[in-house]
């Protein structure tokens, strides 16, 4: 027989509390801080104009987070928080921000030069609609990446490393590309 799903204990009033959600969308909310994200596996903070600094860095504590959508956060991020390198995300959507550079610090460990936890886990990366001017060799450490979108950026150069890994699906200039 299949085991029953665990239920929350009854409170003093006899009412059972519902388990905390694992997926949360705060898209468009005027929040300045995030609730305790311990159980979250998916989070959308797109278009949250007041999320900045410490609130975004705190997401690094989300050990179970697999999907993060952070489009146009805080009016448009100019850089992604370095603390996100410790996340085990399989999907990161940071489109519609104001990123100028490829976020190498998220993917390459500064101490020994190897891949970060994020680089080892990431399968889908959307950095479209930013102001990124190049995709450097550090994209080589994204060994599980299968879908990369860099469309609608200011790309002047794309390192050959983007094309040197296993077959991927992505977009470099507005159209899906197999490479």
């Amino acid at each position: 027989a299949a085991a029953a799903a665990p239920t929350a204990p009854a409170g003093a009033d006899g009412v059972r509390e519902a388990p905390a959600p694992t997926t949360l969308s705060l898209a468009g909310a005027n929040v300045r801080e995030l609730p305790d994200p311990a159980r979250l596996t998916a989070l959308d903070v797109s278009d949250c104009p007041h999320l900045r600094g410490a609130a975004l860095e705190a997401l690094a504590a989300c050990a179970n987070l697999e999907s993060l959508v952070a489009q146009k956060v805080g009016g448009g991020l100019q850089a992604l928080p370095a603390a996100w390198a410790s996340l085990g995300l399989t999907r990161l959507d940071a489109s519609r921000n104001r990123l100028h550079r490829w976020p190498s610090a998220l993917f390459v460990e500064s101490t020994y030069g190897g891949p970060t936890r994020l680089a080892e886990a990431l399968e889908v990366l959307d950095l479209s609609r930013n102001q990124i001017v190049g995709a450097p060799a550090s994209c080589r450490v994204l060994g599980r990446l299968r879908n990369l979108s860099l469309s609608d950026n200011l790309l002047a150069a794309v390192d050959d490393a983007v094309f040197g890994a296993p077959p991927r699906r992505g977009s470099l200039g507005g159209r899906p590309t197999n490479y």
Side-chain angles (χ1 to χ4, degrees):
T7 57
D13 58 3
V15 176
R16 293 192 188 277
E17 291 183 25
T22 58
T23 300
L24 177 62
S25 176
L26 295 171
N30 283 319
V31 296
R32 294 180 189 277
E33 295 180 17
L34 296 171
D36 179 13
R39 291 190 43 165
L40 291 178
T41 58
L43 177 63
D44 185 346
V45 293
S46 298
D47 298 302
C48 290
H50 303 294
L51 271 183
R52 292 186 171 88
L56 293 172
E57 293 277 343
L59 289 175
C62 301
N64 299 317
L65 200 60
E66 297 172 3
S67 176
L68 176 59
V69 180
Q71 298 179 7
K72 197 176 176 189
V73 176
L77 298 173
Q78 292 185 5
L80 298 177
W84 290 3
S86 66
L87 291 169
L89 300 174
T90 57
R91 177 177 181 249
L92 174 59
D93 181 347
S95 61
R96 297 187 319 121
N97 281 290
R98 294 184 300 156
L99 305 176
H100 295 281
R101 282 184 244 125
W102 176 263
S104 294
L106 290 184
F107 307 129
V108 179
E109 221 298 318
S110 62
T111 307
Y112 64 91
T116 63
R117 181 173 181 228
L118 179 60
E120 291 176 335
L122 207 55
E123 296 175 9
V124 177
L125 177 59
D126 188 346
L127 296 176
S128 64
R129 298 181 67 191
N130 278 286
Q131 299 167 0
I132 298 172
V133 296
S138 65
C139 61
R140 179 177 323 206
V141 298
L142 300 172
R144 295 185 67 196
L145 192 68
R146 297 293 171 255
N147 189 313
L148 171 64
S149 181
L150 293 171
S151 60
D152 297 318
N153 273 287
L154 304 174
L155 292 174
V158 177
D159 192 278
D160 289 342
V162 171
F163 304 100
R168 299 177 181 172
R169 178 159 174 79
S171 173
L172 295 174
R175 291 191 191 129
T177 308
N178 288 315
Y179 48 88

